[in-house]
Amino acid sequence: MEKKPLYSGKCLSYTHLGVGIFLSPDFPERILVSGMVPGDEGDVEISYKRNGNCFGKLKKLTKLSEDRVKPLCPVHSSCGGCLFQNVSYERQLAFKKSLVESQLKRVDGLSFEVSETVASDPSLGVRNKVQVPFGRGRHGELVYGFYKELSHDIVPYPDCVNADPRANELLSRVKTAAMASKIAPYEERSGRGQLRHAVVRTSRFYPDAMVTVVTKERDFEGKDAFFKGLAGSLGPDDQLIHNVNGGRTNVILGSEEDVIKGKPYLRDRILGKEFLVSSRSFYQTNPFITEKLYRSIVDHLDLNGQETLLDAYGGIGTIGLVLADRVKSVVSVENVEEATHDARKNAELNGAANFEAVSSDVGEYLETLLEGGRNVDVAVLDPARRGCGSRVMERILALGPSQIAYVSCSPMSLAKDLEVIKDHYFIRLAQPFDMFPYTPHVETLVLLNRK
């Protein structure tokens, strides 16, 4: 086999996905090299081309970047879950600010200034949710871990440095119980086996943890022994849920669930408000940065107590309930029925009589508001990664709230949505938050006032 040529050069920056951009004087195109840090110099081999991009593999480092650090995770390079484990934390924060800046600059005529990225303190061991697939290792042993980047090959790991240490311990107990009861892992290709995933959620302010075990079928051989053994290994405040997902799908959770131990929800607290979170409801994964994010919303919205507030994509009601004491009324809109049910429970739990939770598609509900001539003074938008979309943003524009707080986990989607309203609103705060340390992902809060 002919040996591939090596190209010497330097990594100058990152793509928006955190992949190193490598340039060599001996090659006419930029080469995208995962794992390289801006400032690194070395030799790179071309691997393949895709969608007009050239991808390469680092073969040798000849000079280390000043921002390169030793990874704390032994499977960092193969797992792909924490791409920035080899980058100084200061460089990570700077990258996330520049990412938000570069995407907002795509919106012509938009005036803004991006603040420094708010750091997560602590930055390690912060994730309150860990979900892992189960499978077979090289020697047929039961393993769990994260999928290797761009594949469904499981990279086994004993302890994730980004996860709450309690979650690591609980995952090991799921594995121990499965091995003792001889529960076979699910195989995607053949459809054989039972144990698909385990999802662990932990609470910051309570000793609670929720373990959700996903199997292919509700009833299977060894089920009783498995759940009895696992339940016996959990603490008195832990919840154990059995979720059933029989579909040939990449979706983790199915629609059927049984409570094996404890209650069907996890308790937690944000800015003094109490919240109950069921297994299939969205909840921010970094409780430390979540409080900073919500505090910023509270501090920067100009409220006098007489406003009608729309909390679009409201989930279990977290942002709306944090703001409920400061406005006349809150309408929280969410299309996931389980989350809406949680929001209603949380409103009752916090005594928020001025809070209404509506289960509806956001766009359809906004159309109803417009047809009914209802007024909205302040809008909070916290959509999924794909953003709100032009249909929703056009309806927000028609409703004409005086202030908008937009919380985004995708600067690209954020820029597209702001394009729709840029002629009628101006940005008075653009603040990145490091919700996802050691990854290229960033949470951004943009506060807008109507012109």
Side-chain angles (χ1 to χ4, degrees):
M1 182 179 294
E2 185 178 351
K3 191 174 181 180
K4 294 182 179 180
L6 296 180
Y7 297 96
S8 299
K10 185 175 183 177
C11 178
L12 298 182
S13 60
Y14 283 125
T15 68
H16 69 281
L17 295 176
V19 178
I21 299 176
F22 179 87
L23 295 181
S24 170
D26 302 317
F27 193 76
E29 303 175 48
R30 71 176 193 172
I31 307 171
L32 305 185
V33 186
S34 183
M36 288 202 82
V37 177
D40 279 346
E41 297 180 19
D43 300 330
V44 166
E45 177 184 274
I46 305 298
S47 299
Y48 59 91
K49 285 191 175 183
R50 180 185 295 160
N51 298 327
N53 290 312
C54 191
F55 293 84
K57 182 178 181 181
L58 177 64
K59 303 299 289 185
K60 182 182 179 182
L61 273 174
T62 56
K63 183 178 179 180
L64 302 183
S65 167
E66 294 180 354
D67 293 310
R68 177 176 281 274
V69 298
K70 183 179 180 181
L72 297 173
C73 177
V75 296
H76 145 75
S77 60
S78 56
C79 168
C82 302
L83 191 63
F84 284 169
Q85 277 278 331
N86 62 349
V87 187
S88 71
Y89 192 55
E90 292 73 21
R91 179 74 186 209
Q92 295 178 46
L93 298 178
F95 164 78
K96 295 179 183 190
K97 177 186 177 182
S98 67
L99 176 60
V100 174
E101 285 178 329
S102 65
Q103 293 303 314
L104 293 186
K105 283 180 181 177
R106 294 167 50 198
V107 185
D108 290 337
L110 189 66
S111 178
F112 65 91
E113 182 177 343
V114 177
S115 303
E116 298 296 327
T117 307
V118 176
S120 177
D121 184 19
S123 62
L124 290 171
V126 297
R127 290 188 184 177
N128 59 18
K129 181 182 178 182
V130 183
Q131 52 192 31
V132 298
F134 279 78
R136 294 289 186 191
R138 293 182 179 179
H139 306 292
E141 74 279 16
L142 182 68
V143 298
Y144 64 84
F146 290 123
Y147 287 128
K148 188 176 181 179
E149 191 174 12
L150 302 178
S151 80
H152 270 209
D153 298 330
I154 296 175
V155 179
Y157 76 95
D159 294 296
C160 176
V161 297
N162 257 359
D164 184 328
R166 292 177 295 170
N168 290 322
E169 175 59 30
L170 290 169
L171 287 173
S172 71
R173 294 179 188 180
V174 175
K175 177 182 176 181
T176 298
M179 292 174 61
S181 305
K182 298 181 180 179
I183 307 300
Y186 177 74
E187 297 177 4
E188 286 186 339
R189 293 180 180 177
S190 67
R192 294 192 296 266
Q194 284 294 338
L195 184 56
R196 299 182 68 140
H197 285 82
V199 183
V200 178
R201 272 181 156 156
T202 57
S203 170
R204 178 184 177 188
F205 289 99
Y206 293 102
D208 304 34
M210 174 183 283
V211 180
T212 301
V213 176
V214 186
T215 64
K216 184 180 72 173
E217 298 170 321
R218 182 183 293 276
D219 298 307
F220 51 89
E221 186 176 353
K223 170 187 173 180
D224 292 343
F226 168 65
F227 281 113
K228 182 179 180 180
L230 179 55
S233 70
L234 302 181
D237 298 299
D238 295 338
Q239 330 299 327
L240 177 57
I241 310 294
H242 177 203
N243 181 279
V244 182
N245 184 356
R248 300 291 287 267
T249 173
N250 292 333
V251 177
I252 293 175
L253 296 175
S255 58
E256 300 178 51
E257 282 191 349
D258 295 316
V259 179
I260 305 299
K261 176 186 180 297
K263 299 176 181 179
Y265 53 77
L266 183 77
R267 297 179 299 166
D268 210 352
R269 187 187 308 148
I270 303 175
L271 295 181
K273 299 291 184 179
E274 300 290 322
F275 293 99
L276 304 178
V277 190
S278 60
S279 65
R280 286 179 287 175
S281 293
F282 172 79
Y283 192 60
Q284 292 285 11
T285 60
N286 183 336
F288 303 94
I289 208 71
T290 297
E291 286 223 322
K292 292 183 179 182
L293 170 63
Y294 287 13
R295 172 55 64 189
S296 186
I297 295 173
V298 170
D299 290 344
H300 287 94
L301 281 178
D302 185 13
L303 304 173
N304 60 26
Q306 299 304 309
E307 295 86 1
T308 297
L309 186 143
L310 169 70
D311 185 10
Y313 313 95
I316 66 169
T318 51
I319 300 179
L321 286 169
V322 164
L323 292 168
D325 296 340
R326 295 168 170 82
V327 297
K328 181 179 180 181
S329 63
V330 176
V331 179
S332 177
V333 186
E334 170 61 55
N335 69 344
V336 177
E337 185 65 45
E338 293 86 358
T340 305
H341 180 67
D342 287 353
R344 290 172 182 148
K345 289 191 300 183
N346 290 327
E348 183 179 354
L349 183 65
N350 289 282
N354 64 339
F355 181 95
E356 177 188 3
V358 177
S359 180
S360 172
D361 172 80
V362 170
E364 292 176 1
Y365 183 78
L366 296 184
E367 187 65 31
T368 302
L369 288 182
L370 289 168
E371 291 173 356
R374 292 182 63 180
N375 183 48
V376 170
D377 301 304
V378 180
V380 175
L381 311 177
D382 188 6
R385 185 166 296 277
R386 64 180 177 273
C388 297
S390 58
R391 173 172 169 261
V392 168
M393 295 306 295
E394 287 166 0
R395 283 159 175 75
I396 291 290
L397 186 58
L399 285 168
S402 60
Q403 299 176 83
I404 299 174
Y406 192 133
V407 179
S408 171
C409 60
S410 169
M412 289 67 75
S413 299
L414 172 63
K416 291 179 182 178
D417 286 344
L418 292 183
E419 181 74 43
V420 180
I421 63 173
K422 66 179 183 180
D423 293 334
H424 301 273
Y425 286 85
F426 66 90
I427 292 178
R428 60 184 176 89
L429 178 71
Q431 179 73 73
F433 290 81
D434 193 20
M435 184 72 74
F436 318 99
Y438 300 95
T439 79
H441 303 298
V442 60
E443 196 89 355
T444 308
L445 169 64
V446 171
L447 289 171
L448 304 108
N449 277 34
R450 191 170 180 86
K451 292 181 180 179

